[in-house]
Amino acid sequence: MARIALVAVLAGLPDAFAFVAPCRHTRPTALAGAKTDAVLGLLRRVPLVKRAVPKKRQPVKYVPPITVDAQPDVVDLIDAVATESEGVLEAVVQSLVDRGVAVQFEAPEPTPAPAPAPPPPDPISNFDALHAAGDVDALLAQLRDASRDSGGVDDAIEWRYARACLDASNALAEAAPAREGLVMEGLEAAKRAAALAPEDGLCQKWLGVMLGSAGDFQSPKEKIKNSYAIKEALDAAWRLRPEDGTVALALGQWCLKVASVSFVERGLARAIFGGSPPESSLAEALKFFTKAQELKPAPKTKALIRLVEKKMG
């Protein structure tokens, strides 16, 4: 059948081209009609004819664009559904609470953040606070422990240790046997401090003070020997701390003691050391006492000034 149809179509080709031929030099005319469409459809099945006869284009349907106003508000729809769901959920939960099946949720109280741990106390500040408060026994006990724990190599602890020993000794009665042991204990601490920090004025100061205090328990020979070391330490302390009233007071006391040395003691010093003993004068002692009273007024210093003035006549 397909061959018969094809033969019929080919037999009609002369008439079709005869119909199209007169129009080839004129403006193309659109072909319309059911018979024409059928003929053209058959012709397109033939490869050579399909190239000559264009395919009929279907008209494009116009689709109007969807405007923003015409689109449904999705956000409103979501909010409406969420609100409705929230209401249903609250009703279910409340029903469970009313029947005792569930307990109403309560947000726990926020736990406050723990306060940061305070920094460990500075032992040196603690020692100075105890010294200022006059708690001699507690201070001496803590400084002994600190000196032992540090191995005696902390100059800041050692000179404070020496000072505490002297304070504890002065707090006792003058004839108390424990005074000598405390002074000698403090002297050893002062020696360690000065050896550790020879350019520290406080270390040199307390070495000179403890050497002078040790003289109350020494023989004349030991006193004379230590007098040179006392002056050397106090001179270094005065050079490093020219505004320290305690150093000025100690220098004044040294000058007063040396100026008051008897003729016999001087002769002993010449025999022992083969030279003249240290020398000073009441005028030099008065100069240091006056400076000490200016820097750090104290009744003891004022009394020493009156004593020297009386000796000087």
Side-chain angles (χ1 to χ4, degrees):
M1 292 297 293
R3 292 182 179 180
I4 297 173
L6 180 58
V7 171
V9 170
L10 293 176
L13 280 178
D15 294 336
F17 282 106
F19 175 77
V20 177
C23 302
R24 60 184 177 181
H25 297 295
T26 62
R27 186 175 182 179
T29 303
L31 303 177
K35 294 183 178 181
T36 305
D37 291 340
V39 172
L40 292 177
L42 292 173
L43 291 176
R44 290 192 184 94
R45 296 181 184 178
V46 181
L48 293 177
V49 178
K50 187 175 180 181
R51 297 179 188 176
V53 181
K55 184 177 179 180
K56 184 178 180 181
R57 296 182 179 180
Q58 298 293 332
V60 180
K61 295 182 179 180
Y62 175 74
V63 180
I66 301 175
T67 61
V68 177
D69 295 337
Q71 296 179 0
D73 195 341
V74 179
V75 177
D76 291 343
L77 292 175
I78 294 174
D79 289 343
V81 172
T83 303
E84 183 179 355
S85 301
E86 184 178 354
V88 172
L89 182 60
E90 289 181 356
V92 171
V93 172
Q94 188 61 44
S95 175
L96 295 175
V97 171
D98 294 341
R99 287 187 290 173
V101 178
V103 179
Q104 188 171 3
F105 173 77
E106 294 183 0
E109 292 291 333
T111 304
D122 179 19
I124 298 299
S125 299
N126 182 51
F127 298 151
D128 292 343
L130 289 173
H131 175 73
D135 196 345
V136 178
D137 294 336
L139 176 59
L140 182 56
Q142 290 188 22
L143 282 167
R144 279 173 175 159
D145 292 341
S147 177
R148 182 186 64 249
D149 295 342
S150 66
V153 295
D154 190 331
D155 60 279
I157 291 176
E158 295 304 313
W159 73 256
R160 286 176 170 84
Y161 183 14
R163 181 182 64 182
C165 289
L166 183 59
D167 290 342
S169 174
N170 292 336
L172 300 175
E174 187 174 356
R179 289 189 66 238
E180 181 179 356
L182 287 168
V183 170
M184 295 307 171
E185 181 182 354
L187 176 59
E188 293 303 315
K191 288 179 179 179
R192 290 193 296 269
L196 290 167
E199 289 302 310
D200 189 309
L202 287 169
C203 295
Q204 294 293 344
K205 165 185 169 178
W206 286 103
L207 175 60
V209 170
M210 295 309 299
L211 284 169
S213 299
D216 296 338
F217 309 98
Q218 293 173 335
S219 65
K221 180 179 179 180
E222 290 175 322
K223 286 182 181 180
I224 294 172
K225 181 180 178 180
N226 281 341
S227 63
Y228 295 96
I230 293 171
K231 186 64 162 57
E232 182 181 354
L234 291 178
D235 282 344
W238 186 244
R239 172 177 58 83
L240 296 167
R241 298 177 62 83
E243 300 301 321
D244 192 327
T246 306
V247 177
L249 176 63
L251 278 168
Q253 290 174 318
W254 184 88
C255 293
L256 178 59
K257 287 181 180 180
V258 171
S260 303
V261 171
S262 66
F263 178 77
V264 176
E265 290 175 328
R266 287 185 179 276
L268 180 61
R270 290 189 186 94
I272 293 174
F273 298 105
S276 59
E279 297 182 359
S280 186
S281 63
L282 293 175
E284 190 175 11
L286 181 60
K287 180 188 70 173
F288 281 116
F289 286 146
T290 304
K291 186 64 175 178
Q293 182 67 9
E294 176 187 336
L295 295 172
K296 189 179 180 181
K300 177 182 178 180
T301 308
K302 187 178 291 187
L304 288 169
I305 291 174
R306 288 198 297 266
L307 175 64
V308 173
E309 289 176 342
K310 184 178 179 180
K311 283 181 174 287
M312 293 175 67

